Amino acid sequence: MHPADRGLDLSDQLRQEGGLEWEVPPGSRTVLWFGRTLTGQTTRPAPEPGVGWETDKFSRPPLEPHFTNFPRPLLEMRERRPRGVGLTTLHFR
């Protein structure tokens, strides 16, 4: 694969006030920007112990403790049961 066919992470070239500061190599490029912001949304519907702020699904550090403490134990429990019994699906949105 030619290096130009791969995606580039340009996060380090983003200016604090916005905009991209990047020496663009010759050739055509498509720049995609992915971003997120907190909306104040809480987890719903959820039982009282599960109510809290939504997880930032684009950032690994906050997602790892969430996954370790919630989905991972459910998935491990599922592995000990016969196929198709109990938890069969886990949905992230």
Side-chain angles (χ1 to χ4, degrees), residues 33-39 54-60 62:
W33 180 79
F34 295 91
R36 60 100 188 123
T37 185
L38 297 176
T39 64
E54 272 292 334
T55 306
D56 174 2
K57 295 170 183 73
F58 286 127
S59 182
R60 186 177 215 144

Side-chain angles (χ1 to χ4, degrees), residues 17-74:
E17 66 279 356
L20 183 63
E21 194 169 304
W22 176 43
E23 279 293 322
V24 182
S28 63
R29 303 285 184 270
T30 300
V31 177
L32 301 174
W33 180 79
F34 295 91
R36 60 100 188 123
T37 185
L38 297 176
T39 64
Q41 188 65 40
T42 57
T43 53
R44 293 190 288 249
E48 187 62 34
V51 174
W53 300 113
E54 272 292 334
T55 306
D56 174 2
K57 295 170 183 73
F58 286 127
S59 182
R60 186 177 215 144
L63 188 57
E64 284 181 345
H66 171 74
F67 187 81
T68 298
N69 293 299
F70 179 62
R72 181 172 284 144
L74 292 174

Side-chain angles (χ1 to χ4, degrees), residues 1-10 22 24-31:
M1 178 182 293
H2 189 275
D5 294 332
R6 293 189 316 236
L8 296 174
D9 182 354
L10 300 174
W22 176 43
V24 182
S28 63
R29 303 285 184 270
T30 300
V31 177

